[in-house]
Amino acid sequence: MAENDRDRQNENTVRAAIAGWFNCDLVSFPQYSFVDWLGMRDGDMTALIEFKEKRTSDLKKYPDVIMDEHKVFKLLTLQDALKIDAYIFVRMKHGEVLYIKADAVPQHRIRNIGGTDRPRVEAPEQKAFLVDQSMFRKAGVLSRDREYA
């Protein structure tokens, strides 16, 4: 997940907060994995956790969180194989951290996020689910200098 020291510090802050909110230890997956952390409690796997930043806080203009279709399907496949829940956490620009279970992501709202106006070499036909922020639950708030539960 982390690409530089600032990203690594941000990742550690978010990881510690999520671990505290959900009373578990979070084990990192290797960089570029489609899952960021594995939740562990008392030696048992409890959850798969994917984390993303949402770059805007203009909720009226951009009410949806864009979720990569392949990432969601991989989380669901791993959730079924391991028999544990998978969650997607999103930190909004203003610091609020929201989460949704991967199997609650509505699969009827989908769009192409590649295409001719801004083609992406790595995934020219990449699709994503659009998830309204109202479908997420609030985990807490992280600001630059403190956290609120």
Side-chain angles (χ1 to χ4, degrees):
M1 189 165 119
E3 295 181 12
N4 58 46
D5 288 340
R6 184 174 179 201
D7 288 347
R8 210 172 340 277
Q9 182 179 7
N10 179 49
E11 176 184 334
N12 289 336
T13 299
V14 171
R15 182 170 132 184
I18 292 172
W21 292 330
F22 290 88
N23 189 28
C24 64
D25 295 318
L26 296 182
V27 178
S28 294
F29 281 86
Q31 189 173 14
Y32 306 117
S33 296
F34 63 88
V35 178
D36 292 315
W37 301 300
L38 174 66
M40 300 287 294
R41 186 180 303 126
D42 299 325
D44 294 325
M45 294 184 295
T46 58
L48 298 163
I49 297 173
E50 171 59 17
F51 172 75
K52 69 179 285 170
E53 297 274 356
K54 185 158 180 3
R55 305 276 184 239
T56 182
S57 60
D58 186 347
L59 304 181
K60 290 181 181 160
K61 188 173 182 183
Y62 303 105
D64 297 321
V65 175
I66 297 172
M67 312 290 254
D68 179 272
E69 174 192 44
H70 293 110
K71 190 169 279 199
V72 171
F73 285 146
K74 287 177 182 177
L75 281 168
L76 292 172
T77 300
L78 198 50
Q79 170 182 275
D80 288 344
L82 297 175
K83 305 294 186 231
I84 59 176
D85 291 328
Y87 294 91
I88 301 164
F89 283 77
V90 180
R91 179 163 62 176
M92 308 305 286
K93 185 176 181 180
H94 57 277
E96 187 174 42
V97 179
L98 308 174
Y99 70 96
I100 189 171
K101 285 183 67 175
D103 56 13
V105 171
Q107 297 179 14
H108 65 280
R109 294 189 65 215
I110 190 164
R111 75 169 194 176
N112 189 338
I113 58 174
T116 56
D117 61 332
R118 218 176 76 194
R120 297 175 61 178
V121 174
E122 71 277 12
E125 295 300 319
Q126 185 176 4
K127 296 192 182 301
F129 297 115
L130 302 177
V131 185
D132 189 279
Q133 292 174 28
S134 66
M135 296 191 69
F136 287 78
R137 297 183 67 189
K138 182 178 175 180
V141 176
L142 289 175
S143 66
R144 292 194 183 279
D145 57 347
R146 61 186 182 198
E147 95 182 45
Y148 305 89

